[in-house]
Amino acid sequence: MNDENQEQRAEKAALRSPLLMHLRNGKHRERISFALPGNNNGLLYPEFLKRDYLAFDLTELPVTEDLNDPGAALQAAEANAAACYGAADAIFVTLGSSVAIKAVIGGACGRQGTLLTALDVHKSALQAAELLDLGLLFLNLDVIENPEKLHDLLQKYPEVRAVYLTTPDFYGHCYDISKIARVLEKTKVLLIVDSAHGAHFPFGKELMPAGAIEQGADLVVCSAHKTLPAPTPTSIILIGKKLQEKRPDLDSRKIRKIAATFTSTSPPLMLGVGLDYAISYMDLYGYSATSELLQLVDKFISQLPAGLKRVEIGISSDSKDLPANRKSTTRPLHDPLRIVIDCADVCPGPVIVKDLMANKINPEMADLCRFVLIPHFGQTWSDFSRTLEVLNKLCAKYRQTSWPEDLRTENLRRLDRHYRHRLTVPAFSTKPYHPAACLNLAWHLDTKWVEIDQACNRHVAEALIPYPPGIPLLWPGDTLKLEDIELFKSLIGHSLNVHGTQIKDNKIYVPILASAADDFESTLEY
């Protein structure tokens, strides 16, 4: 050992590090990526940043910075971000949008407040409600699309502190939230928007949908690492310009303080460096990069093989075809850079994703009927061209395949319709829903794991969440129906992950509330 130099010791240590070697041997730089993160192996990074990135892994010192207590340099970086998004303030979060979402909900609602939320929200919102003991009231799609009905709802429930929406969603679908913002403008009720997948919108200007801040949101979370050349899991909290007017008690300092309670006392400064760079790059070159990437996407879509078609769809909305030619006089209501391909007429979504990955192409995700590609700024036509080549070969193979009944188009679409229907029907709609109950000892003691077929019409003890996209399909206390069981078995059978389930001996187990009565109506009963 004494004869070894430091480089030899380091190499030996690396060779016995399982995670390191697994990722190293995956040779990810040799793969084509249409998946997160948006930096795509540092594609747009300067050489010195790639080479010296670990040199920015610094602790909080007088000569460095502190993400929880910013000095001049971080203040300048955050001010630059705020200006880019048209926000009053910006807060860098280097441990993920999940932390940022908890911070903004906590700031808006406090403990034991009430939040009016859509159902198609990320599980981090559920976690925030659990930890803060919030009461949740669920918005249906009708109110979101007809915001004038929101006024009556707020009069009925005056305890509501904030409205919480997700736009865009994983498929790039956007709500027009400007009308909702106008309804809330003269109230103290805040509009919180999870815009994790919309961090790139402002840089594309009229080529992209309007950003949440531009539409009047009060608190917005953007997941920079999803679509910008930023490292995982960097995020930004944006503060709307009218927040202080509506809520004088709430400012960026308080939001940062709440964020610090959900994160580390030593948040990684090196990730803040990458986030700062990503904002600066997009500020300088974002518009031209957006225009160039849109041209590649349009060319790619125009050459898709027969049977594959680009669609516009939301997590909880129906699918419709998107034309290859995007030309319009108005700003889009769907992210034109999000490539959602309907493949159910030729094969199930998970099958084509598995085959693409076998050909060294990484899609972002699949559902039963579609797959999603997220292109990256700086990507070249060669990646798209190679993907088209593989898709043509795969589709030729699929057309010769006789699929079993459960994998045929009609069955896939039937299950997909149920998936989306589930996200429009809240479990508890007549009284506030309190998911904090599932942290109670009584709830844990009453939790029992059973085979999924034995859980029909029983109340689940945990959220059941297909991941990605991370949207709870069943919430704690919800009733598991026969159609749900069929759907979950199909998802898991296609190797799609469902959080809240366990697989043992090829059998699916789910947690249920053993003693919950058939007329169980509220988590408050625990």
Side-chain angles (χ1 to χ4, degrees):
M1 187 71 174
N2 292 334
D3 294 331
E4 293 178 319
N5 61 35
Q6 181 53 40
E7 180 60 31
Q8 290 170 324
R9 292 180 179 183
E11 183 69 22
K12 183 177 288 186
L15 290 172
R16 67 186 302 273
S17 304
L19 177 59
L20 188 159
M21 295 310 297
H22 169 70
L23 295 177
R24 181 188 183 189
N25 293 337
K27 298 182 179 179
H28 295 284
R29 290 180 183 274
E30 299 176 10
R31 302 179 67 86
I32 294 172
S33 177
F34 288 103
L36 305 183
N39 69 72
N40 196 13
N41 291 312
L43 181 64
L44 297 176
Y45 284 19
E47 284 303 318
F48 82 86
L49 188 56
K50 294 180 187 179
R51 183 180 64 248
D52 300 331
Y53 200 33
L54 280 175
F56 298 100
D57 187 12
L58 302 165
T59 192
E60 300 81 14
L61 297 170
V63 293
T64 58
E65 265 288 1
D66 184 347
L67 287 158
N68 288 333
D69 187 16
L74 180 54
Q75 289 173 14
E78 291 181 335
N80 182 41
C84 289
Y85 286 92
D89 289 298
I91 300 170
F92 283 9
V93 179
T94 55
L95 288 173
S97 288
S98 296
V99 167
I101 285 168
K102 295 179 180 71
V104 295
I105 291 176
C109 299
R111 288 198 70 252
Q112 299 182 327
T114 302
L115 180 68
L116 189 57
T117 177
L119 275 166
D120 55 346
V121 296
H122 190 262
K123 69 175 188 175
S124 52
L126 169 60
Q127 293 166 346
E130 290 174 344
L131 293 169
L132 296 166
D133 194 9
L134 301 182
L136 301 181
L137 292 165
F138 293 106
L139 277 170
N140 59 36
L141 195 58
D142 179 50
V143 175
I144 296 171
E145 294 180 343
N146 299 280
E148 64 275 5
K149 298 181 180 181
L150 188 57
H151 183 266
D152 293 338
L153 200 56
L154 293 176
Q155 285 197 326
K156 184 178 179 181
Y157 298 103
E159 68 273 23
V160 169
R161 304 299 304 275
V163 173
Y164 180 78
L165 298 171
T166 301
T167 182
D169 63 20
F170 224 108
Y171 295 99
H173 176 73
C174 301
Y175 293 130
D176 179 358
I177 61 170
S178 59
K179 294 178 182 177
I180 296 176
R182 284 196 290 273
V183 171
L184 300 179
E185 192 173 23
K186 301 301 182 183
T187 74
K188 292 184 180 298
V189 178
L190 301 184
L191 176 56
I192 304 173
V193 176
D194 173 0
S195 189
H197 287 269
H200 57 299
F201 283 3
F203 303 102
K205 300 179 182 178
E206 80 282 355
L207 301 174
M208 290 285 111
I213 286 290
E214 183 181 348
Q215 293 188 71
D218 298 301
L219 292 166
V220 178
V221 173
C222 290
S223 190
H225 76 97
K226 285 182 169 60
T227 56
L228 303 187
T232 305
T234 51
S235 178
I236 313 167
I237 296 173
L238 301 171
I239 312 293
K241 292 184 176 179
K242 294 185 178 180
L243 175 67
Q244 281 269 273
E245 181 182 327
K246 294 174 71 172
R247 288 280 301 276
D249 62 303
L250 192 59
D251 58 15
S252 59
R253 182 184 178 279
K254 185 171 182 180
I255 295 292
R256 191 189 300 275
K257 182 176 181 294
I258 296 171
T261 66
F262 290 111
T263 189
S264 169
T265 54
S266 297
L269 197 57
M270 63 188 291
L271 299 184
V273 168
L275 175 55
D276 181 28
Y277 169 78
I279 297 294
S280 294
Y281 185 93
M282 293 301 290
D283 190 24
L284 288 170
Y285 309 112
Y287 186 80
S288 59
T290 300
S291 179
E292 291 164 7
L293 190 55
L294 282 171
Q295 292 178 39
L296 296 181
V297 169
D298 282 352
K299 184 178 178 181
F300 174 78
I301 296 302
S302 69
Q303 297 182 31
L304 284 173
L308 301 184
K309 58 184 178 181
R310 187 185 193 183
V311 294
E312 175 184 343
I313 189 170
I315 290 289
S316 57
S317 66
D318 294 329
S319 177
K320 63 180 181 180
D321 294 1
L322 270 180
N325 189 337
R326 301 170 297 95
K327 291 181 180 178
S328 172
T329 57
T330 60
R331 296 180 74 166
L333 286 175
H334 187 278
D335 181 0
L337 289 178
R338 189 58 50 102
I339 306 174
V340 183
I341 307 295
D342 189 300
C343 57
D345 289 343
V346 292
C347 72
V351 170
I352 200 167
V353 162
K354 182 179 179 180
D355 288 345
L356 283 169
M357 294 189 74
N359 282 273
K360 296 186 177 182
I361 299 170
N362 294 347
E364 171 57 29
M365 63 165 283
D367 61 30
L368 292 176
C369 296
R370 301 160 205 89
F371 63 99
V372 178
L373 306 177
I374 303 180
H376 306 297
F377 294 112
Q379 210 158 12
T380 63
W381 175 246
S382 62
D383 286 357
F384 292 90
S385 178
R386 170 60 181 157
T387 302
L388 285 170
E389 179 185 332
V390 172
L391 285 173
N392 274 290
K393 291 179 180 178
L394 292 177
C395 286
K397 180 184 73 172
Y398 299 146
R399 293 188 194 100
Q400 305 302 316
T401 302
S402 178
W403 299 103
E405 187 173 342
D406 63 317
L407 298 184
R408 291 176 185 166
T409 303
E410 316 82 64
N411 192 54
L412 294 173
R413 297 208 186 280
R414 178 180 64 84
L415 291 172
D416 184 69
R417 284 192 297 271
H418 177 69
Y419 187 122
R420 287 164 213 295
H421 173 71
R422 252 302 182 182
L423 293 172
T424 64
V425 184
F428 310 108
S429 56
T430 58
K431 62 183 75 173
Y433 167 72
H434 285 259
C438 66
L439 300 181
N440 294 345
L441 179 60
W443 188 286
H444 285 289
L445 293 175
D446 198 33
T447 298
K448 179 182 178 182
W449 287 85
V450 300
E451 283 189 51
I452 194 167
D453 288 321
Q454 298 174 11
C456 189
N457 296 322
R458 304 296 296 273
H459 301 280
V460 295
E462 298 179 16
L464 301 186
I465 308 171
Y467 206 91
I471 311 297
L473 208 56
L474 269 72
W475 294 60
D478 212 343
T479 305
L480 184 69
K481 303 291 188 180
L482 183 62
E483 297 90 340
D484 302 324
I485 293 173
E486 186 180 6
L487 174 60
F488 286 126
K489 289 169 80 170
S490 181
L491 293 172
I492 293 170
H494 282 101
S495 300
L496 299 179
N497 196 11
V498 177
H499 290 184
T501 65
Q502 292 183 8
I503 312 297
K504 296 179 181 178
D505 300 323
N506 293 320
K507 295 178 181 178
I508 303 169
Y509 288 81
V510 295
I512 63 165
L513 295 171
S515 61
D518 291 341
D519 59 353
F520 175 76
E521 290 184 352
S522 173
T523 49
L524 287 173
E525 295 177 16
Y526 276 80

